[in-house]
């Protein structure tokens, strides 16, 4: 038998918000081998395009996952709009940016909380989630849904935000910013967090590139890779530069996300001030025919929706390449040789989202 | 005197949800909703749990897991299916990999509708589960086979 | 040991869990408040334990229960010796014995998480035992006796002569109370990489016994803190309350650290604070 | 690098008091736009089945013969597509959510008997 | 009346003297007989009866001498001295022959040095006329009796155990040539030498027996004659010879400086007045150094680890319960001299460091015998530390440690031997679920382990006493020792408990497998288990009837100070706890049926994965995985080499200091 401890990690495990499974082979507490296995929440929803109207399918697309659901719907709609050559109204584009960035805020706060919890820092978890409720509140007030917004549709958005509301949202975010930066300070400066994150789960710039990492994982390893740089939607009008940190460890990835909170706040601010008046949607006639790769930046990195239609109301193919899928090879590399106690920290540091990875 | 109603510990498992209901279940534990007011603790261990909260529909792989976890929860226990996915499979009902709601695998006591279910709704669901839990305890005491 | 003290010892059987439960209840309440939540009722620990005893009995192996009961018995016995004014060294060693029972209980189920939890608990035991022994030794050096009665009878506040030992003891108290950053083996918080570590396989009444023993233990450990301030009951009680609040605060303000720094730091604290303090006592 | 950096937050939380909404003692927060559940005013329904056709999760079944409108609450995702589709505005999204149930909930509403054909012709 | 009394006393004296000589010579005779016996049956009978006789003899000695004080016997030394001297030379030549055969130059060199020193000593004693004097050469006191009991009872039990063990040993190892007559010859020769060692008052005699035990140990380690065995045998010899040389040096020193030949006697030397303190201190230092080598203290610990290649009974007898105790025995003998001295302090520190570091190393061992060896080294370290401190409390603790350690450790060694033959491995990881496969042996091991570290069993009491002794010792040494003890005791809990956990771990898929253990092994195991419990329960008695008189006579301890050794309240509590521990498993047995009915048996928690059998789960890609449940070994922190290096460095520095101090004193 040797001196090995073999334990199952997942699918049901308190630190795993979503089920995956790892066979962990440990020696003392050092992970010698981690063999992943997935499929616990595979639903097969891409296949549903064959049964659903492409316009209604947006509801399914946004239920690929409940955390960045809005961005999924944006990606999907963008794809259809590109195939059908629809230009959405500017106001709709700006509203999409606002909600996207709200999603990012709430997702990053959610992640920060879970990350803190994985390290056993319960108070910080509570703090992050307490602040997150502010974002959810705004989302619900503007779209009617806390986590599944359902406010994006092919050809624009489903509901408008009044200019008064926009102003009060902006004011609310400014008011909450000090608390956010205080929390950010804890993440970035606390000694004990440092002990758990610095030098843990290192992914070098080269391996990050070779293994095809995306999102904060890539940016934490020093690669400036952010789909928002492509300027989709209204992003081309906004002043944006990605947060890039070198280091490649859990601390760097955490730092990327912490700093992105403030980029998001900034982007929302910009979008609100630049918000044009006008319609929020254009009518959509006909059915899509053709194919398109739609790229957007989710909180976890770049997501690609591949859409192919043949002129009927049902699409031929819908395929999603999710950031988690792209980051898993990096994760496997990070896990080798780590401590058991760091497994949750490292796993969470890529912000795995099995929901969309398995669909 | 029953303490069960005052100290229900929950175990949450994501059978194949989209995360929407998941994060709402988690949100219940956080300051704004704080279910610990009712003595509810989210325990990660089926052997310590009283209430099994499931989100998402059942797929081929998760059904085994759900069954396994359910068996390891000591009686009396109740199952709360959160979200319509957990009830019937929801929008994914017709996906090839979805068997349907949780009731296809284990008996469900409370359904919390919604997509995603709101935290308040989830709290209501758990409160509803408490009285069922109490009934089951009485039944168990009488020597009936616990479910 | 006169009859009075034996009575104290015996009353610990009853009052131990009562006081312990209220302390833990207040702890949970305060923790919740620190996190911006309302928190459970103060009597929650009693509800929890009551609930656990109403649950079905399940087990991987029957003898698990035996070890956990042994743990409880010896924790209670230890507490009784302590409150009856007995020998501190005996208290410490009996406490170790109790923990060994608990660990063996976890081992006996041969379950992966309980196993890893047991190993970690052992590491913790190894980390804290030296400091606890030094605490007793320090008190002996000052008061000339290992007996709690005699230590209490010592006129002055021990904290003034044993500051290093006191801080060291606080450090390891965090392990004993299973509070962050040292809640390695099993944690009150749900999200631990070890599930419930040591207690993973304990369910229903078995877990209830474990929780009950934890209440006893908490009270007894706070009794140790009291000894440092025991010159008069008022300072003693205030100090105990303050110490516990500090522990709660630390619990709320740190991550859980890994076992290597936990072990090494505990030993360094033992050697540096404990050792220097004791040497200082000689020089004085 | 500092330790106990969270102290300020903790102290503030202690003084500010809990952020908790004491539901169910206090009422739930209801936003105007919240998508709670679908309500139906059966009296104005014309059983055109547009809602049924537009429902992404087949939660609605309309029986023109029996004049019933049925919603399966355990399927509805409250997307509001049916509300948009309904020509008679008889569907609404109520911002209050539907309470939990212990059995599957399929609500069937029986429409009023067929109104006099005469006035109908008049409207046409 | 008076006449009658004197008569009885005289009679008793003679009888006891006879008993002492009997205990020395009877095993020797048996040894010679056994050398010529090839038949198993006959050997069984002779060994068993012989062992019984020896055991009864020691018990009888105890009873006969109970209440009497240290007594000395004059024996005509002239001839004996010459005989011893010749034998000594014979042994030397024999070793030299072996050195030549196996090309061991270094050992040969040391042997020659030792020979040279001995010849110097011989000439010195001739010229100063020491050798011709009569002395109180044999003696017994309470401490010797305790040692004799350990040797006589544990030793003879191990001999009986060896019969069965060696039979299966040769079944398991057909490649090793069967030299059992020689093996038993050595065992009994060794017993004889040990008796001689503890009954000798004359240091020359003591040295002679000392050398014999070294040689026996050397030959027994090399019993298998494999490369490894021979190498380790010579390593043991080499390091023990270092001690032998200093021992011989001590003899020379006494011969050339002492005012009278009386000072070659242990009793005279250790009670030398303050004006002669130096005279006693130098030999005390030198002989204690020899004791350090013999009891495998760091930096000499490596030989004891190497010695684990010997058959397990040898490890149990020589390398844990008796021979290595000879090392600490002499140091404890010199404790009155060492008390409060710089040298004593240094020796205590060597012990303290060894205790702590050897315990640390034990964490990293998964070889049961090596673990036991390290734990032995650690415990001997504790005894050495106590002896170095030298106060009567410390000596009290030291002797208790010796007793408890001897019984518990020999039990553990023997159990390990039995388990090894049953499961074919001495790897602790392989003992997973031993409670299911070998319930009785596992229980005995648990009792042995509990005896090693748990309250309220014996070791704990001695640890407790040790702690008190250390605290009272002079600063800063006391604090350092307390630190070592505190740290070390935490470490001890770790490695014992994890082993206990391994044994107790429940394994459904294994079957009972202890039917084939033979009867003599069972008998011995049962008896020693009983002894562990017995000493745990009766130690206050032992302390009161044997230890306290010894301390009064040898350490001038007062009765009041002795009263502080054990508190009545504590005693009651300890005994209550002991009874609780004994009663609890019984209650388990009693409630077994009730429990089984009311409990629902559930599978282990494996994160919701399917478990097709209790000890596996469905891993990734559907592969069935065994749950590995290895213990932690913390190699990164407590790695053997690292700890040894630290320990060797520290202890070598201390030993250099000891020698520097000695040289300083002489010059
Ligand atoms: S799809 Fe990928 S993960 Fe799945 S089996 Fe094939 S290679 Fe492996
Ligand atoms: S994942 Fe695909 S290939 Fe694998 S079993 Fe399912 S359907 Fe078949
Ligand atoms: S990345 Fe995660 S949060 Fe975003 S859609 Fe996918 S599963 Fe949901
Ligand atoms: S294209 Fe690929 S996934 Fe689709 S049916 Fe063919 S093999 Fe299967
Ligand atoms: S699984 Fe890999 S290869 Fe296939 S579509 Fe996704 S990213 Fe491309
Ligand atoms: S009910 Fe809705 S939000 Fe909940 S898991 Fe299902 S799809 Fe997601
Ligand atoms: S709200 Fe959506 S899911 Fe519900 S009935 Fe209407 S269309 Fe169907
Ligand atoms: S769309 Fe409106 S009117 Fe038509 S059936 Fe549905 S509810 Fe009735």
């Amino acid at each position: 038998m040797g001196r090995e401890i073999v334990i199952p990690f997942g699918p049901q495990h308190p630190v795993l918000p979503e089920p995956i499974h790892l066979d962990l082979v440990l020696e003392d507490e050092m992970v010698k081998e981690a063999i992943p296995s997935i499929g616990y929440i595979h639903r097969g929803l891409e296949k549903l395009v064959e049964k659903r109207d492409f316009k209604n399918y947006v509801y399914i697309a946004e239920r690929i996952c409940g955390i960045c659901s809005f961005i999924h719907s944006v990606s999907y709609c963008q794809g259809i709009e590109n195939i059908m050559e629809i230009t959405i109204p500017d106001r709709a584009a700006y509203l999409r940016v606002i909600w996207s960035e709200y999603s990012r805020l709430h997702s990053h706060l959610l992640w920060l909380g879970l990350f803190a919890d994985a390290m056993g820092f319960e108070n910080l978890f509570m703090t992050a989630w307490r602040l997150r409720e502010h974002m959810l509140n705004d989302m619900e007030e503007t779209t009617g849904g806390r986590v599944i917004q359902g406010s994006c549709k092919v050809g624009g958005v489903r509901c408008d935000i009044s200019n008064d509301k926009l102003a009060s949202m902006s004011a609310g975010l400014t008011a909450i910013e000090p608390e956010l930066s205080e929390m950010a300070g804890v993440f970035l400066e606390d000694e004990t967090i440092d002990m758990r994150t610095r030098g843990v789960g290192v992914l070098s710039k080269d391996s990050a590139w070779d293994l095809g990492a995306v999102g904060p994982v890539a940016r934490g390893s020093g690669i400036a890779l952010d789909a928002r740089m492509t300027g989709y939607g209204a992003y081309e009008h906004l002043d944006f530069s990605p947060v890039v940190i070198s280091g490649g460890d859990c601390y760097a990835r955490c730092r990327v996300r912490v700093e992105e909170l403030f980029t998001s706040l900034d982007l929302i601010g910009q979008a609100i001030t630049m918000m044009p008046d006008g319609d929020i949607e254009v009518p959509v006639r006909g059915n899509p025919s053709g194919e398109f790769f739609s790229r957007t930046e989710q909180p976890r990195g770049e997501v690609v929706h591949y859409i192919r239609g043949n002129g009927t109301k049902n699409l031929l193919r819908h395929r999603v390449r999710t950031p988690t899928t792209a980051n898993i090879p990096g994760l496997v590399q990070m896990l080798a040789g780590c401590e058991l106690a760091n497994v949750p920290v490292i796993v969470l540091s890529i912000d795995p989202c099995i929901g969309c990875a398995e669909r | 005197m029953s303490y069960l109603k005052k100290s229900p510990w929950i175990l949450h498992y994501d059978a194949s949800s989209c995360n929407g209901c998941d994060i709402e279940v988690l949100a219940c534990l956080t300051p704004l909703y704080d279910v610990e007011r009712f003595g509810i603790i989210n325990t990660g261990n089926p052997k310590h749990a009283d209430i099994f909260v499931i989100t998402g529909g059942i797929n081929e792989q998760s059904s085994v897991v759900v069954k396994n976890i359910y068996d390891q929860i000591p009686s009396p226990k109740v199952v709360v299916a959160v979200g319509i996915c957990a009830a019937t499979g929801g929008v994914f009902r017709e996906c090839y990999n979805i068997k349907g709601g949780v009731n296809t695998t284990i008996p469900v006591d409370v359904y919390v509708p919604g997509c995603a279910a709101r935290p308040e709704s989830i709290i209501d669901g758990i409160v509803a589960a408490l009285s069922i839990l109490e009934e089951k305890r009485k039944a168990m005491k009488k020597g009936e086979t616990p479910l | 040991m006169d009859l009075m003290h034996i009575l104290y010892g015996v009353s610990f059987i009853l009052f131990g869990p009562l006081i312990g439960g209220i302390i833990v209840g207040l702890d949970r309440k305060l923790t919740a408040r620190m996190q911006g939540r309302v928190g459970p009722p103060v009597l929650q620990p009693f509800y929890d334990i009551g609930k656990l005893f109403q649950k079905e009995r399940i087990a991987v192996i029957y003898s698990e229960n035996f070890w956990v009961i042994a743990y409880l018995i010896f924790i209670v016995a230890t507490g009784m010796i302590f409150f009856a004014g007995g020998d501190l060294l005996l208290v410490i060693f009996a406490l170790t014995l109790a923990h060994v029972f608990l660990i063996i209980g976890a081992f006996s189920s041969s379950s992966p998480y309980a196993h890893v939890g047991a190993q970690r608990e052992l590491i913790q035991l190894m980390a804290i035992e030296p400091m606890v022994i030094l605490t007793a030794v320090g008190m002996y050096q000052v008061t000339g006796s290992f007996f709690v009665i005699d230590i209490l009878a010592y006129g002055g506040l021990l904290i003034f002569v044993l500051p290093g030992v006191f801080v060291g003891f606080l450090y390891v108290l965090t392990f004993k109370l299973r509070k962050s950053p040292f809640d390695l083996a099993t944690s009150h918080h749900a999200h631990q990489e070890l599930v419930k570590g040591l207690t993973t396989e304990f369910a229903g009444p078995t877990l209830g016994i474990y929780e009950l023993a934890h209440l006893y233990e908490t009270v007894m450990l706070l009794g140790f803190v009291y000894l440092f301030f025991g010159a008069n009951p008022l300072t003693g009680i205030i100090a105990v309350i303050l110490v516990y609040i500090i522990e709660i605060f630390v619990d709320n303000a740190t991550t859980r650290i890994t076992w290597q720094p936990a072990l090494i730091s505990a030993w360094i604290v033992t050697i540096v604070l404990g050792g220097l303090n004791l040497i200082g006592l000689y020089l004085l | 690098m500092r330790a106990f950096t969270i102290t300020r937050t903790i102290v503030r939380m202690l003084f500010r008091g809990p952020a908790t909404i004491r539901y169910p003692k206090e009422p739930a927060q209801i936003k105007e736009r919240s998508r709670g559940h679908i309500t139906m005013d059966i009296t104005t329904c014309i059983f055109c089945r547009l809602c049924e056709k537009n429902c992404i999760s087949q939660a609605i079944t309309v029986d023109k013969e029996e004049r019933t409108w049925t919603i399966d609450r355990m399927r509805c995702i409250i997307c509001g597509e049916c509300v948009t589709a309904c020509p008679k505005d008889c569907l609404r999204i109520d911002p209050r959510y539907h309470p939990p149930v212990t059995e599957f909930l399929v609500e069937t509403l029986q429409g009023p008997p067929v109104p006099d054909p005469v006035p109908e012709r008049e409207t046409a | 009346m008076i006449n009658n009394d004197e008569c009885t006393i005289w009679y008793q004296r003679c009888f006891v003297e006879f008993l002492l000589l009997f205990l020395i010579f009877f095993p020797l005779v048996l040894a010679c007989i056994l050398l010529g016996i090839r038949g198993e049956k006959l050997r069984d009978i002779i060994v068993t009866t012989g062992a019984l006789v020896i055991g009864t003899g020691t018990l009888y000695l105890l009873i006969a001498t109970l209440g009497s004080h240290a007594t000395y016997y004059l024996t005509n030394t002239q001839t004996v001295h010459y005989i011893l001297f010749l034998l000594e030379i014979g042994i030397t030549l024999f070793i030299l022959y072996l050195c030549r055969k196996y090309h061991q130059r270094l050992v040969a060199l040391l042997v020659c040095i030792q020979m040279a020193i001995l010849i110097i000593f011989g000439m010195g004693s001739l010229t100063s006329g020491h050798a011709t004097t009569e002395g109180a050469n044999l003696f017994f006191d309470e401490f010797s009796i305790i040692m004799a009991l350990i040797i006589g009872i544990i030793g003879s039990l191990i001999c009986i155990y060896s019969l069965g063990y060696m039979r299966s040993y040769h079944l398991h190892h057909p490649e090793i040539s069967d030299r059992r007559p020689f093996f038993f010859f050595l065992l009994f020769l060794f017993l004889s030498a040990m008796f001689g060692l503890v009954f000798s008052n004359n240091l020359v005699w003591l040295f002679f027996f000392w050398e014999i035990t070294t040689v026996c140990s050397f030959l027994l380690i090399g019993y298998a004659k494999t490369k490894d065995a021979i190498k380790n045998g010579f390593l043991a010899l080499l390091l023990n010879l270092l001690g032998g040389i200093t021992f011989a040096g001590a003899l020379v020193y006494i011969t050339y400086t002492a005012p009278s030949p009386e000072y070659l006697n242990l009793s005279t030397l250790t009670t030398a007045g303050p004006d002669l303190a130096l005279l006693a201190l130098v030999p005390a230092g030198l002989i204690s150094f020899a004791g350090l080598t013999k009891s495998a203290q760091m930096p000499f610990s490596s030989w004891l680890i190497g010695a684990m290649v010997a058959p397990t009974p040898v490890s149990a007898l020589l390398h844990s319960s008796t021979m290595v105790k000879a090392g600490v025995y002499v140091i404890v003998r010199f404790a009155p001299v060492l008390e409060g001295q710089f040298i004593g302090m240094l020796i205590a520190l060597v012990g303290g460091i060894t205790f702590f570091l050897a315990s640390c190393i034990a964490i990293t061992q998964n070889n049961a015998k090596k673990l036991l060896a390290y734990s032995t080294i650690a415990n001997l370290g504790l005894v050495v530390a106590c002896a170095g401190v030298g106060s009567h409390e410390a000596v009290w603790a030291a002797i208790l440690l010796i007793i408890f350690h001897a019984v518990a450790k020999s039990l553990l060694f023997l159990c390990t031997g039995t388990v090894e033959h049953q499961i074919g491995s001495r790897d602790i990881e392989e003992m997973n679920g031993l409670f299911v496969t070998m319930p009785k042996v596992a229980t005995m091991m648990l009792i042995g382990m509990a005896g090693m570290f748990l309250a309220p069993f014996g070791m704990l009491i001695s640890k407790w006493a040790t702690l008190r002794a250390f605290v009272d010792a002079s600063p800063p040494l006391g604090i350092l020792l307390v630190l070592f003890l505190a740290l070390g005791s935490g470490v001890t809990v770790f490695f014992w408990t994890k082993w206990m956990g391994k044994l107790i771990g429940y394994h459904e898929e294994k079957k009972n497998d202890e039917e084939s253990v033979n009867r003599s092994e069972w008998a011995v195991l049962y008896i020693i288990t009983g002894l562990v419990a017995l000493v745990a329960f009766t130690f206050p008695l032992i302390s009161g009837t044997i230890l306290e008189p010894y301390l009064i006579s040898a350490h001038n301890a007062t009765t009041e100070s002795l009263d502080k050794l054990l508190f009545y309240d504590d005693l009651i509590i300890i005994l209550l706890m002991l009874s609780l521990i004994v009663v609890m498993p019984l209650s388990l047995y009693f409630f077994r049926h009730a429990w089984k009915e009311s409990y629902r048996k559930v599978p282990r928690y494996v994160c919701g994965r399917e478990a097709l059998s209790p000890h596996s789960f469905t891993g990734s890609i559907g592969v069935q995985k065994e749950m590995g449940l290895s213990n932690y070994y913390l190699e990164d922190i407590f790695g053997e080499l690292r700890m040894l290096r630290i320990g060797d460095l520290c202890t070598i520095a201390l030993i250099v200091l000891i020698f520097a101090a000695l040289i300083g004193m002489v010059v």
Side-chain angles (χ1 to χ4, degrees), chain E residues 566-622:
Chain E
L566 274 177
F567 292 98
Y568 176 71
D569 291 344
D570 283 354
L571 265 185
I572 298 290
I573 293 171
I574 290 174
L575 288 181
L576 278 178
M577 279 164 71
L578 259 179
S579 334
L580 256 184
I581 290 199
V582 174
V583 170
M584 272 192 328
L586 294 181
S587 71
L588 172 73
Y589 187 77
F590 188 73
F591 287 121
R592 195 176 44 160
H593 299 289
W595 265 349
K596 275 199 179 167
E597 272 156 34
S598 72
Y599 274 88
R600 174 160 71 96
K601 216 171 157 187
V602 290
R604 294 166 173 80
Y605 173 76
V606 282
C607 288
R609 286 297 314 211
E610 243 181 317
L612 295 186
S613 76
H615 292 275
S616 63
F617 62 91
T618 314
S620 290
I621 337 171

Side-chain angles (χ1 to χ4, degrees), chain E residues 280-294:
Chain E
L281 200 54
V282 174
L286 288 172
I287 293 177
S288 297
F289 174 83
L292 293 182
T293 60
K294 188 127 222 162

Side-chain angles (χ1 to χ4, degrees), chain A residues 52 56-57 59-60 63 121 123-124 127 130 137 140-145 148-149 158-160 179 182 186 188-191 194 198, chain D residues 1-6 8-10 12-13 16 19 29-31 33-36 53-58 77-81 84:
Chain A
R52 299 284 183 265
N56 275 351
Y57 184 80
Y59 291 113
I60 301 203
R63 279 168 178 79
F121 203 147
N123 200 312
L124 199 50
T127 307
R130 179 166 52 77
N137 207 31
E140 191 178 13
E141 278 175 2
T142 54
T143 67
I148 306 258
Q149 286 76 25
R158 198 174 299 271
C159 47
D160 200 357
E179 277 203 59
E182 194 176 299
V186 180
L188 299 183
E189 283 170 21
D190 194 87
E191 186 68 47
D194 218 51
R198 251 190 228 274
Chain D
M1 287 302 141
R2 296 164 298 148
F4 304 123
T5 44
I6 203 168
R8 267 184 60 195
T9 313
I10 290 183
R12 180 145 27 77
M13 279 342 282
R16 194 199 277 170
Q29 285 182 324
I30 304 294
K31 311 277 161 18
R33 279 190 187 172
S34 287
R35 296 196 301 276
K53 288 205 187 94
N54 275 289
C55 177
I56 180 126
S57 53
Q58 296 95 25
I77 60 170
I78 320 126
C79 60
E81 226 17 79
T84 322

